[in-house]
Amino acid sequence: MSGAVENSGRELTIRVLKFDPNSAVSKPHFKEYKLKEAHSMTIFIVLNMIREQYDSDLSFDFVCRAGICGSCGMMINGRPRLACRTLTKDFPDGVITLMPLPAFKLIKDLSVDTGNWFNGMSKRVESWIHAQEKNEEHMSKLEERVEPEVAQEVFELDRCIECGCCIASCGTKLMREDFVGAAGLNRVVRFMLDPHDERNDDDYYELVGDDNGVFGCMSLLACHDVCPKNLPLQSKIAYLRRKMASVN
């Protein structure tokens, strides 16, 4: 990010939105914490320091700490990011505001329920191989050949870590609760490209050929801009729109 500074040892001001929706007395409010910056410090490290030294009640999610699991997605100075991949040195004024991802059910503080949303999305777009031939063949049978370039294209879309950043950045999703979002559209294209899946364009149209699917996308493409894995969401959503628009 432009404007990054190396300034280890400066004082950081971390503003965290705190709220427990399951508490009758809790109200949304920002709480400030002051701490010293260390070299190569990430927001993940900051949150752990706050919870260990200042506020043991602070809630946030993490698993892998390496940008793989997607658990630590949150709003960092108004932009959806992964806490474990965001460096404090990228914020020159040292003031960092943390909020939970919108569009998902709030659990507490910075923790939101992305799991149930992605599970529902997977069922909605029927995120599994549809084929007449059952997978009951003898294990000695060779797998069906897939051209390397096709396999690579499918693998590229399978790199989605379900962090929810694309959903949180989507203007349509924030206005239309049932919108499947970029993650759902990406999932559909993944199976369209997979030669093992025998569904046709009409079948996919039944899943996403409406305003809660691909035609609800306003092409603002914030999803493409914030994806931490740099998935080709822009080109794949355009591809899916063309395919669905040609269905009679």
Side-chain angles (χ1 to χ4, degrees):
M1 175 185 296
S2 60
V5 295
E6 288 288 353
N7 194 15
S8 297
R10 65 176 175 162
E11 184 178 72
L12 298 174
T13 300
I14 311 298
R15 302 177 67 245
V16 180
L17 182 65
K18 298 204 67 182
F19 177 50
D20 183 356
N22 296 311
S23 169
V25 298
S26 178
K27 294 182 179 180
H29 65 283
F30 282 100
K31 188 170 182 179
E32 282 195 4
Y33 308 90
K34 304 281 189 179
L35 62 155
K36 292 293 184 181
E37 184 178 36
H39 181 70
S40 299
M41 178 179 272
T42 65
I43 300 300
F44 165 78
I45 294 173
V46 165
L47 288 170
N48 275 278
M49 287 181 63
I50 291 174
R51 188 156 65 181
E52 291 172 2
Q53 300 177 20
Y54 304 103
D55 187 356
S56 61
D57 183 61
L58 177 63
S59 293
F60 60 95
D61 300 315
F62 70 92
V63 177
C64 74
R65 300 176 293 176
I68 297 173
C69 71
S71 298
C72 64
M74 61 187 64
M75 300 297 288
I76 304 177
N77 280 12
R79 183 183 178 91
R81 306 171 189 258
L82 297 182
C84 69
R85 295 282 298 275
T86 304
L87 296 169
T88 58
K89 71 184 179 81
D90 289 338
F91 304 93
D93 63 0
V95 179
I96 303 172
T97 301
L98 306 178
M99 300 176 67
L101 292 179
F104 298 102
K105 179 182 178 181
L106 178 65
I107 297 174
K108 184 175 178 288
D109 300 338
L110 302 175
S111 179
V112 297
D113 184 0
T114 56
N116 278 319
W117 188 91
F118 275 95
N119 183 52
M121 178 274 288
S122 295
K123 293 176 180 176
R124 177 177 170 183
V125 301
E126 299 183 11
S127 181
W128 55 86
I129 294 292
H130 289 55
Q132 294 297 320
E133 183 178 347
K134 304 299 181 182
N135 296 322
E136 298 174 355
E137 303 293 337
H138 193 275
M139 62 183 300
S140 63
K141 181 180 178 180
L142 294 177
E143 294 184 10
E144 181 180 348
R145 175 181 171 81
V146 177
E147 293 300 323
E149 59 273 15
V150 175
Q152 180 59 39
E153 193 170 9
V154 172
F155 172 75
E156 174 72 1
L157 303 187
D158 259 340
R159 292 193 303 108
C160 173
I161 58 176
E162 300 188 351
C163 62
C165 288
C166 65
I167 304 301
S169 70
C170 177
T172 300
K173 175 61 181 173
L174 297 180
M175 295 186 296
R176 192 187 298 273
E177 183 178 355
D178 293 331
F179 183 56
V180 72
L185 300 177
N186 176 76
R187 189 73 59 84
V188 170
V189 177
R190 176 255 180 268
F191 285 97
M192 291 180 74
L193 298 176
D194 194 327
H196 297 103
D197 198 296
E198 297 176 357
R199 286 176 286 184
N200 57 35
D201 289 351
D202 289 333
D203 297 323
Y204 292 115
Y205 187 90
E206 291 298 317
L207 298 175
V208 293
D210 58 15
D211 287 342
N212 285 324
V214 69
F215 297 122
C217 174
M218 297 186 292
S219 299
L220 301 177
L221 299 173
C223 56
H224 182 90
D225 293 338
V226 304
C227 178
K229 306 307 287 186
N230 297 315
L231 296 180
L233 298 177
Q234 178 178 357
S235 61
K236 296 311 178 186
I237 291 175
Y239 166 82
L240 179 60
R241 192 197 301 272
R242 291 195 301 270
K243 297 281 282 185
M244 295 297 94
S246 65
V247 174
N248 295 320

